[in-house]
Amino acid sequence: MKPSSILGRYLIKQIIWNFISVLIMVLGIIFMFEVIDLLRRVADRPDIGWGFVLKMVVMKLPRTLDMIFPFVMMIAAMVTFQKVSKTNEFVIIRAAGVSVWGFLLPVLTAVFVIGAVNVGVFNPIASKMLEVFETMDYQLKTRNPKAMLFSDKGLWIREAAPDGNVLVLQAKSVRQENENTLFLHDTDILELDHRSQIIRQVDAFMAVLKNDEFELKDVNVFEAGKPRKALNKIKYKTSITVDRIKENFIDPDAISFWELPKTIDFYKKSGFSVVKHQLRYMSLIASPFMLCAMVLVAAVFALRPNNRRGGVMFLIVGGIVAGFLVYFSSQVIYTFGLNGYIPVFMAVWSPILITFLVSISILLHLEDG
């Protein structure tokens, strides 16, 4: 059955409408609990108003939604399939000579498009909202309403210099005070040759990153066989930007789908591990297929040609449990990939492929039955 046919458009409208309804309901529940949790956190903070609380909760919603998005789609699919089964529409469709695969094609098409739009359009918006949330969360913790970026965990950056050498920068703390300027305290720079031998070490009390340039202040320069040299300041040209450094402290979830390839390429050139970012990027690519896999799981449990056999509640609970097991196993395998135990491709795609194969096998069995 073609998605553009009358029946195909009807099924697409059903899945989209049920998806929106479930999404609004779930977002409402999440919003309520997030507001309650945040109000508990700021109970002793008279300086925090309702506006800050509501904005912070709204900024966090995309992160929570990203975690439960497959469940939302699966529940929407179960509602859709249960409705067409209860009203005997599925029986009529099958009697008209449409196979279960023809029935599922419009639904899977609509779900795949929803997943693609979520990745390509809403993910960049959600990543910016998550970045705002992390900044607001830091402002809340530090009681500093002007804080934009800060880390007391330290910073390590490796960069290739134009002369073929390598610069390794280490700072004990980082602070951002405006959009384009970053302050790094207790900063050390090691200049290494192509054999990773130290050419010289530059220690500075503070460094400022602005306009593609590091300016180090109160500097001590150490070179083998030479006395220590004290300088007021020294400058280094750099391709490192404030946004790149921010990504050291921001979760890959807060980086836009369209920006992830540049970030991965940057870290590869800098010599740092990119597994976390590669997993995030590939999982976003695979997310429309994961949504389709969850729809197939819903079809196994909710798409029934005969409702007189009973056990509807058992099937609904079974579908939810099965969806949870799929999600849980995918997260476990994802963790294995994050720790380097299995390749990135396998960590992302193997749960989806297994879910597809198992669901299709069961549906084939039911179709033959």
Side-chain angles (χ1 to χ4, degrees):
M1 179 170 56
K2 294 181 179 180
S4 58
S5 64
I6 296 176
L7 188 55
R9 293 198 302 270
Y10 170 75
L11 292 173
I12 289 174
K13 289 180 182 178
Q14 288 293 315
I15 187 66
I16 292 176
W17 173 251
N18 288 324
F19 168 73
I20 294 174
S21 301
V22 174
L23 182 64
I24 292 174
M25 181 182 65
V26 172
L27 284 178
I29 295 172
I30 293 173
F31 183 84
M32 180 181 64
F33 280 101
E34 291 287 355
V35 168
I36 294 173
D37 180 65
L38 191 55
L39 286 175
R40 291 174 57 189
R41 289 178 57 188
V42 301
D44 60 342
R45 296 286 302 277
D47 56 314
I48 301 297
W50 269 98
F52 185 91
V53 171
L54 294 177
K55 182 180 178 181
M56 193 170 174
V57 171
V58 171
M59 293 299 111
K60 189 182 178 183
L61 280 179
R63 182 173 198 169
T64 308
L65 180 61
D66 184 61
M67 297 173 60
I68 64 170
F69 200 78
F71 283 109
V72 173
M73 184 58 71
M74 188 189 74
I75 293 173
M78 292 187 72
V79 171
T80 302
F81 296 152
Q82 182 62 28
K83 179 182 177 182
V84 298
S85 296
K86 185 176 181 180
T87 58
N88 291 323
E89 292 173 330
F90 182 58
V91 176
I92 297 172
I93 293 171
R94 292 299 305 279
V98 179
S99 68
V100 68
W101 311 112
F103 174 86
L104 288 173
L105 180 60
V107 177
L108 292 174
T109 302
V111 169
F112 187 88
V113 171
I114 291 173
V117 171
N118 175 60
V119 172
V121 178
F122 293 107
N123 173 262
I125 300 173
S127 63
K128 292 298 181 183
M129 293 175 67
L130 181 55
E131 184 178 338
V132 172
F133 166 76
E134 291 185 343
T135 301
M136 295 180 70
D137 189 50
Y138 174 72
Q139 292 172 351
L140 181 64
K141 291 177 181 177
T142 60
R143 299 174 183 262
N144 180 7
K146 296 182 179 180
M148 295 180 65
L149 169 70
F150 180 84
S151 172
D152 55 2
K153 300 177 182 178
L155 170 70
W156 285 89
I157 291 179
R158 181 178 181 271
E159 182 184 20
D163 55 4
N165 295 333
V166 175
L167 302 180
V168 178
L169 181 144
Q170 186 267 334
K172 290 186 177 178
S173 63
V174 181
R175 186 181 77 253
Q176 181 183 1
E177 294 188 351
N178 59 57
E179 188 173 342
N180 299 314
T181 305
L182 203 68
F183 294 90
L184 300 88
H185 291 275
D186 294 330
T187 305
D188 297 330
I189 292 182
L190 294 178
E191 298 183 19
L192 310 177
D193 60 20
H194 64 282
R195 297 175 298 176
S196 298
Q197 299 297 315
I198 297 177
I199 300 174
R200 69 173 181 170
Q201 177 179 339
V202 180
D203 297 346
F205 173 73
M206 185 179 70
V208 181
L209 173 61
K210 187 176 182 180
N211 298 327
D212 301 326
E213 187 177 68
F214 273 117
E215 181 178 337
L216 282 72
K217 300 179 180 181
D218 295 334
V219 181
N220 290 311
V221 180
F222 301 92
E223 292 186 64
K226 296 182 181 181
R228 177 182 66 88
K229 186 187 297 184
L231 301 171
N232 288 331
K233 63 180 180 180
I234 188 172
K235 294 183 179 181
Y236 284 91
K237 284 290 183 181
T238 180
S239 61
I240 298 170
T241 63
V242 174
D243 289 338
R244 293 300 184 204
I245 291 182
K246 286 171 69 176
E247 287 162 6
N248 279 268
F249 313 119
I250 296 176
D251 194 277
D253 294 353
I255 303 176
S256 165
F257 170 77
W258 304 107
E259 293 295 326
L260 274 171
K262 297 178 183 178
T263 304
I264 293 171
D265 184 62
F266 172 80
Y267 281 123
K268 279 184 177 179
K269 292 179 180 178
S270 300
F272 290 101
S273 173
V274 294
V275 173
K276 184 166 58 173
H277 297 80
Q278 285 178 330
L279 277 168
R280 174 60 178 170
Y281 183 60
M282 192 167 291
S283 64
L284 286 173
I285 294 175
S287 62
F289 297 94
M290 172 58 84
L291 296 181
C292 292
M294 298 300 279
V295 169
L296 291 178
V297 172
V300 169
F301 288 90
L303 198 58
R304 308 182 68 203
N306 186 1
N307 279 292
R308 296 179 180 178
R309 294 162 58 185
V312 174
M313 184 58 65
F314 173 78
L315 291 175
I316 292 175
V317 174
I320 295 174
V321 172
F324 174 79
L325 290 176
V326 170
Y327 179 79
F328 178 76
S329 62
S330 67
Q331 292 302 303
V332 171
I333 297 174
Y334 187 94
T335 304
F336 286 157
L338 194 62
N339 292 321
Y341 295 125
I342 57 177
V344 171
F345 183 86
M346 184 180 296
V348 173
W349 288 100
S350 57
I352 299 174
L353 292 175
I354 292 171
T355 305
F356 261 107
L357 293 174
V358 173
S359 300
I360 290 173
S361 299
I362 297 174
L363 286 172
L364 283 171
H365 175 73
L366 295 175
E367 174 81 354
D368 292 339

Tab-separated table of all heavy atoms in Angstrom, residues 297-340:
chain	number	residue	atom	x	y	z
A	297	VAL	N	8.105	-3.300	17.132
A	297	VAL	CA	7.845	-3.931	18.434
A	297	VAL	C	6.397	-3.690	18.842
A	297	VAL	O	5.708	-4.609	19.321
A	297	VAL	CB	8.809	-3.373	19.503
A	297	VAL	CG1	8.418	-3.881	20.894
A	297	VAL	CG2	10.250	-3.773	19.197
A	298	ALA	N	5.916	-2.475	18.643
A	298	ALA	CA	4.510	-2.176	18.960
A	298	ALA	C	3.567	-3.001	18.101
A	298	ALA	O	2.526	-3.469	18.587
A	298	ALA	CB	4.256	-0.681	18.756
A	299	ALA	N	3.906	-3.193	16.829
A	299	ALA	CA	3.053	-3.976	15.933
A	299	ALA	C	2.943	-5.422	16.396
A	299	ALA	O	1.881	-6.043	16.290
A	299	ALA	CB	3.604	-3.915	14.510
A	300	VAL	N	4.044	-5.978	16.907
A	300	VAL	CA	4.033	-7.363	17.380
A	300	VAL	C	2.997	-7.550	18.484
A	300	VAL	O	2.283	-8.562	18.538
A	300	VAL	CB	5.439	-7.770	17.860
A	300	VAL	CG1	5.389	-9.105	18.600
A	300	VAL	CG2	6.408	-7.855	16.684
A	301	PHE	N	2.875	-6.553	19.365
A	301	PHE	CA	2.023	-6.719	20.539
A	301	PHE	C	0.627	-6.102	20.381
A	301	PHE	O	-0.320	-6.556	21.034
A	301	PHE	CB	2.703	-6.092	21.767
A	301	PHE	CG	3.870	-6.878	22.269
A	301	PHE	CD1	5.147	-6.628	21.791
A	301	PHE	CD2	3.705	-7.878	23.206
A	301	PHE	CE1	6.237	-7.358	22.247
A	301	PHE	CE2	4.774	-8.616	23.670
A	301	PHE	CZ	6.048	-8.357	23.183
A	302	ALA	N	0.497	-5.064	19.557
A	302	ALA	CA	-0.779	-4.338	19.509
A	302	ALA	C	-1.560	-4.548	18.230
A	302	ALA	O	-2.756	-4.244	18.200
A	302	ALA	CB	-0.522	-2.837	19.700
A	303	LEU	N	-0.920	-5.052	17.183
A	303	LEU	CA	-1.624	-5.224	15.909
A	303	LEU	C	-2.220	-6.623	15.867
A	303	LEU	O	-1.528	-7.608	15.603
A	303	LEU	CB	-0.643	-5.010	14.749
A	303	LEU	CG	-1.260	-4.722	13.377
A	303	LEU	CD1	-2.145	-3.485	13.436
A	303	LEU	CD2	-0.164	-4.532	12.344
A	304	ARG	N	-3.521	-6.724	16.137
A	304	ARG	CA	-4.180	-8.017	16.252
A	304	ARG	C	-5.393	-8.081	15.343
A	304	ARG	O	-6.281	-7.215	15.412
A	304	ARG	CB	-4.618	-8.277	17.696
A	304	ARG	CG	-3.496	-8.083	18.721
A	304	ARG	CD	-3.983	-8.400	20.107
A	304	ARG	NE	-4.272	-9.799	20.261
A	304	ARG	CZ	-5.104	-10.296	21.178
A	304	ARG	NH1	-5.751	-9.482	21.977
A	304	ARG	NH2	-5.299	-11.589	21.264
A	305	PRO	N	-5.486	-9.080	14.499
A	305	PRO	CA	-6.655	-9.197	13.623
A	305	PRO	C	-7.914	-9.634	14.346
A	305	PRO	O	-9.015	-9.472	13.834
A	305	PRO	CB	-6.217	-10.248	12.599
A	305	PRO	CG	-5.212	-11.084	13.327
A	305	PRO	CD	-4.505	-10.144	14.254
A	306	ASN	N	-7.762	-10.185	15.548
A	306	ASN	CA	-8.932	-10.714	16.255
A	306	ASN	C	-8.878	-10.275	17.704
A	306	ASN	O	-8.024	-10.736	18.464
A	306	ASN	CB	-8.963	-12.241	16.170
A	306	ASN	CG	-10.246	-12.817	16.766
A	306	ASN	OD1	-11.119	-12.069	17.219
A	306	ASN	ND2	-10.354	-14.130	16.757
A	307	ASN	N	-9.756	-9.359	18.116
A	307	ASN	CA	-9.772	-8.857	19.480
A	307	ASN	C	-10.588	-9.718	20.430
A	307	ASN	O	-10.654	-9.443	21.620
A	307	ASN	CB	-10.316	-7.428	19.502
A	307	ASN	CG	-9.256	-6.413	19.124
A	307	ASN	OD1	-8.306	-6.209	19.857
A	307	ASN	ND2	-9.432	-5.790	17.967
A	308	ARG	N	-11.269	-10.731	19.908
A	308	ARG	CA	-12.098	-11.564	20.772
A	308	ARG	C	-11.283	-12.538	21.609
A	308	ARG	O	-11.813	-13.200	22.480
A	308	ARG	CB	-13.101	-12.330	19.911
A	308	ARG	CG	-14.083	-11.430	19.180
A	308	ARG	CD	-15.031	-12.221	18.320
A	308	ARG	NE	-15.974	-11.355	17.618
A	308	ARG	CZ	-16.894	-11.799	16.775
A	308	ARG	NH1	-17.013	-13.104	16.534
A	308	ARG	NH2	-17.698	-10.942	16.175
A	309	ARG	N	-9.993	-12.646	21.289
A	309	ARG	CA	-9.161	-13.594	22.033
A	309	ARG	C	-8.780	-13.061	23.408
A	309	ARG	O	-8.255	-13.776	24.236
A	309	ARG	CB	-7.897	-13.897	21.221
A	309	ARG	CG	-8.203	-14.636	19.928
A	309	ARG	CD	-7.063	-14.547	18.943
A	309	ARG	NE	-5.837	-15.084	19.514
A	309	ARG	CZ	-4.656	-15.031	18.888
A	309	ARG	NH1	-4.570	-14.451	17.709
A	309	ARG	NH2	-3.595	-15.547	19.454
A	310	GLY	N	-9.010	-11.757	23.672
A	310	GLY	CA	-8.743	-11.193	24.989
A	310	GLY	C	-7.262	-10.977	25.212
A	310	GLY	O	-6.425	-11.070	24.323
A	311	GLY	N	-6.947	-10.695	26.479
A	311	GLY	CA	-5.551	-10.483	26.861
A	311	GLY	C	-4.975	-9.184	26.343
A	311	GLY	O	-3.764	-9.083	26.130
A	312	VAL	N	-5.820	-8.159	26.136
A	312	VAL	CA	-5.339	-6.889	25.588
A	312	VAL	C	-4.376	-6.211	26.548
A	312	VAL	O	-3.312	-5.731	26.144
A	312	VAL	CB	-6.535	-5.970	25.269
A	312	VAL	CG1	-6.033	-4.593	24.830
A	312	VAL	CG2	-7.412	-6.578	24.200
A	313	MET	N	-4.740	-6.177	27.837
A	313	MET	CA	-3.874	-5.531	28.819
A	313	MET	C	-2.536	-6.249	28.921
A	313	MET	O	-1.480	-5.610	29.055
A	313	MET	CB	-4.577	-5.512	30.184
A	313	MET	CG	-3.781	-4.771	31.255
A	313	MET	SD	-3.420	-3.054	30.804
A	313	MET	CE	-5.085	-2.384	30.766
A	314	PHE	N	-2.570	-7.574	28.832
A	314	PHE	CA	-1.325	-8.341	28.885
A	314	PHE	C	-0.424	-7.982	27.708
A	314	PHE	O	0.793	-7.831	27.855
A	314	PHE	CB	-1.640	-9.836	28.868
A	314	PHE	CG	-0.421	-10.712	28.763
A	314	PHE	CD1	0.380	-10.951	29.863
A	314	PHE	CD2	-0.068	-11.286	27.555
A	314	PHE	CE1	1.513	-11.748	29.769
A	314	PHE	CE2	1.056	-12.084	27.448
A	314	PHE	CZ	1.848	-12.319	28.563
A	315	LEU	N	-1.011	-7.832	26.533
A	315	LEU	CA	-0.221	-7.477	25.356
A	315	LEU	C	0.340	-6.071	25.464
A	315	LEU	O	1.483	-5.811	25.062
A	315	LEU	CB	-1.084	-7.610	24.100
A	315	LEU	CG	-1.482	-9.039	23.718
A	315	LEU	CD1	-2.435	-9.020	22.540
A	315	LEU	CD2	-0.237	-9.863	23.372
A	316	ILE	N	-0.443	-5.142	26.001
A	316	ILE	CA	0.043	-3.770	26.155
A	316	ILE	C	1.216	-3.720	27.125
A	316	ILE	O	2.255	-3.101	26.844
A	316	ILE	CB	-1.097	-2.856	26.636
A	316	ILE	CG1	-2.152	-2.718	25.538
A	316	ILE	CG2	-0.558	-1.484	27.036
A	316	ILE	CD1	-3.375	-1.936	25.963
A	317	VAL	N	1.067	-4.385	28.269
A	317	VAL	CA	2.155	-4.429	29.243
A	317	VAL	C	3.372	-5.136	28.647
A	317	VAL	O	4.523	-4.704	28.832
A	317	VAL	CB	1.693	-5.137	30.534
A	317	VAL	CG1	2.868	-5.319	31.491
A	317	VAL	CG2	0.594	-4.323	31.209
A	318	GLY	N	3.106	-6.224	27.903
A	318	GLY	CA	4.207	-6.933	27.258
A	318	GLY	C	4.948	-6.061	26.268
A	318	GLY	O	6.177	-6.103	26.167
A	319	GLY	N	4.216	-5.228	25.517
A	319	GLY	CA	4.850	-4.325	24.570
A	319	GLY	C	5.707	-3.286	25.258
A	319	GLY	O	6.832	-2.986	24.809
A	320	ILE	N	5.210	-2.727	26.360
A	320	ILE	CA	5.990	-1.736	27.110
A	320	ILE	C	7.246	-2.363	27.685
A	320	ILE	O	8.338	-1.777	27.626
A	320	ILE	CB	5.119	-1.115	28.218
A	320	ILE	CG1	3.963	-0.321	27.598
A	320	ILE	CG2	5.951	-0.214	29.120
A	320	ILE	CD1	2.972	0.211	28.594
A	321	VAL	N	7.116	-3.568	28.238
A	321	VAL	CA	8.289	-4.267	28.788
A	321	VAL	C	9.297	-4.578	27.686
A	321	VAL	O	10.508	-4.400	27.858
A	321	VAL	CB	7.850	-5.559	29.508
A	321	VAL	CG1	9.066	-6.393	29.902
A	321	VAL	CG2	7.031	-5.214	30.754
A	322	ALA	N	8.793	-5.037	26.544
A	322	ALA	CA	9.686	-5.340	25.425
A	322	ALA	C	10.413	-4.083	24.951
A	322	ALA	O	11.616	-4.114	24.660
A	322	ALA	CB	8.900	-5.953	24.267
A	323	GLY	N	9.692	-2.958	24.877
A	323	GLY	CA	10.333	-1.699	24.490
A	323	GLY	C	11.388	-1.275	25.481
A	323	GLY	O	12.464	-0.799	25.094
A	324	PHE	N	11.085	-1.462	26.778
A	324	PHE	CA	12.074	-1.135	27.806
A	324	PHE	C	13.318	-2.008	27.675
A	324	PHE	O	14.450	-1.521	27.811
A	324	PHE	CB	11.460	-1.308	29.198
A	324	PHE	CG	12.443	-1.121	30.319
A	324	PHE	CD1	12.824	0.147	30.724
A	324	PHE	CD2	12.999	-2.224	30.973
A	324	PHE	CE1	13.732	0.326	31.759
A	324	PHE	CE2	13.908	-2.062	32.000
A	324	PHE	CZ	14.276	-0.787	32.394
A	325	LEU	N	13.132	-3.298	27.409
A	325	LEU	CA	14.278	-4.192	27.254
A	325	LEU	C	15.126	-3.801	26.042
A	325	LEU	O	16.362	-3.845	26.104
A	325	LEU	CB	13.792	-5.637	27.110
A	325	LEU	CG	13.186	-6.264	28.368
A	325	LEU	CD1	12.666	-7.667	28.064
A	325	LEU	CD2	14.224	-6.329	29.499
A	326	VAL	N	14.459	-3.407	24.960
A	326	VAL	CA	15.206	-2.954	23.779
A	326	VAL	C	16.024	-1.726	24.113
A	326	VAL	O	17.219	-1.637	23.783
A	326	VAL	CB	14.237	-2.663	22.611
A	326	VAL	CG1	14.972	-1.953	21.474
A	326	VAL	CG2	13.610	-3.947	22.110
A	327	TYR	N	15.399	-0.765	24.796
A	327	TYR	CA	16.104	0.468	25.154
A	327	TYR	C	17.236	0.191	26.134
A	327	TYR	O	18.348	0.702	25.979
A	327	TYR	CB	15.117	1.467	25.758
A	327	TYR	CG	15.758	2.769	26.178
A	327	TYR	CD1	16.056	3.742	25.243
A	327	TYR	CD2	16.067	3.001	27.517
A	327	TYR	CE1	16.651	4.933	25.618
A	327	TYR	CE2	16.662	4.192	27.907
A	327	TYR	CZ	16.954	5.153	26.955
A	327	TYR	OH	17.548	6.331	27.348
A	328	PHE	N	16.968	-0.641	27.149
A	328	PHE	CA	17.991	-0.952	28.148
A	328	PHE	C	19.189	-1.655	27.517
A	328	PHE	O	20.345	-1.312	27.778
A	328	PHE	CB	17.382	-1.828	29.249
A	328	PHE	CG	18.372	-2.249	30.304
A	328	PHE	CD1	18.787	-1.363	31.278
A	328	PHE	CD2	18.894	-3.543	30.308
A	328	PHE	CE1	19.701	-1.749	32.248
A	328	PHE	CE2	19.806	-3.939	31.266
A	328	PHE	CZ	20.207	-3.036	32.243
A	329	SER	N	18.921	-2.636	26.665
A	329	SER	CA	20.021	-3.358	26.017
A	329	SER	C	20.813	-2.444	25.094
A	329	SER	O	22.046	-2.545	25.006
A	329	SER	CB	19.478	-4.555	25.236
A	329	SER	OG	18.591	-4.130	24.208
A	330	SER	N	20.126	-1.518	24.404
A	330	SER	CA	20.843	-0.588	23.527
A	330	SER	C	21.750	0.330	24.336
A	330	SER	O	22.862	0.657	23.899
A	330	SER	CB	19.845	0.237	22.709
A	330	SER	OG	19.091	1.104	23.539
A	331	GLN	N	21.302	0.731	25.536
A	331	GLN	CA	22.128	1.583	26.378
A	331	GLN	C	23.333	0.822	26.935
A	331	GLN	O	24.431	1.389	27.062
A	331	GLN	CB	21.300	2.163	27.529
A	331	GLN	CG	20.244	3.162	27.081
A	331	GLN	CD	20.837	4.332	26.330
A	331	GLN	OE1	21.707	5.036	26.838
A	331	GLN	NE2	20.369	4.549	25.114
A	332	VAL	N	23.143	-0.450	27.258
A	332	VAL	CA	24.272	-1.263	27.739
A	332	VAL	C	25.321	-1.427	26.640
A	332	VAL	O	26.525	-1.242	26.859
A	332	VAL	CB	23.766	-2.643	28.215
A	332	VAL	CG1	24.945	-3.575	28.507
A	332	VAL	CG2	22.904	-2.493	29.462
A	333	ILE	N	24.852	-1.752	25.423
A	333	ILE	CA	25.779	-1.908	24.304
A	333	ILE	C	26.433	-0.570	23.973
A	333	ILE	O	27.623	-0.509	23.629
A	333	ILE	CB	25.036	-2.480	23.079
A	333	ILE	CG1	24.503	-3.879	23.409
A	333	ILE	CG2	25.948	-2.548	21.866
A	333	ILE	CD1	23.636	-4.477	22.325
A	334	TYR	N	25.689	0.512	24.102
A	334	TYR	CA	26.239	1.860	23.877
A	334	TYR	C	27.374	2.138	24.866
A	334	TYR	O	28.413	2.713	24.491
A	334	TYR	CB	25.125	2.878	24.037
A	334	TYR	CG	25.490	4.297	23.678
A	334	TYR	CD1	25.250	4.787	22.400
A	334	TYR	CD2	26.059	5.164	24.612
A	334	TYR	CE1	25.568	6.097	22.063
A	334	TYR	CE2	26.384	6.463	24.284
A	334	TYR	CZ	26.132	6.927	23.018
A	334	TYR	OH	26.466	8.220	22.695
A	335	THR	N	27.187	1.722	26.114
A	335	THR	CA	28.231	1.909	27.129
A	335	THR	C	29.477	1.103	26.792
A	335	THR	O	30.608	1.574	26.983
A	335	THR	CB	27.696	1.512	28.512
A	335	THR	OG1	26.507	2.261	28.796
A	335	THR	CG2	28.729	1.777	29.593
A	336	PHE	N	29.287	-0.116	26.279
A	336	PHE	CA	30.439	-0.911	25.839
A	336	PHE	C	31.213	-0.173	24.742
A	336	PHE	O	32.450	-0.150	24.739
A	336	PHE	CB	29.976	-2.273	25.315
A	336	PHE	CG	29.554	-3.226	26.397
A	336	PHE	CD1	28.688	-4.269	26.120
A	336	PHE	CD2	30.002	-3.077	27.692
A	336	PHE	CE1	28.281	-5.150	27.115
A	336	PHE	CE2	29.604	-3.953	28.698
A	336	PHE	CZ	28.746	-4.987	28.407
A	337	GLY	N	30.489	0.419	23.807
A	337	GLY	CA	31.146	1.187	22.757
A	337	GLY	C	31.841	2.417	23.294
A	337	GLY	O	32.938	2.775	22.849
A	338	LEU	N	31.233	3.080	24.279
A	338	LEU	CA	31.816	4.268	24.877
A	338	LEU	C	33.133	3.946	25.579
A	338	LEU	O	34.065	4.757	25.579
A	338	LEU	CB	30.825	4.880	25.874
A	338	LEU	CG	31.098	6.291	26.375
A	338	LEU	CD1	31.077	7.281	25.228
A	338	LEU	CD2	30.078	6.678	27.432
A	339	ASN	N	33.221	2.756	26.155
A	339	ASN	CA	34.441	2.339	26.847
A	339	ASN	C	35.439	1.638	25.930
A	339	ASN	O	36.488	1.190	26.389
A	339	ASN	CB	34.090	1.407	28.016
A	339	ASN	CG	33.348	2.126	29.118
A	339	ASN	OD1	33.658	3.271	29.432
A	339	ASN	ND2	32.345	1.488	29.696
A	340	GLY	N	35.091	1.532	24.649
A	340	GLY	CA	36.032	0.981	23.683
A	340	GLY	C	36.061	-0.527	23.600
A	340	GLY	O	36.958	-1.090	22.964
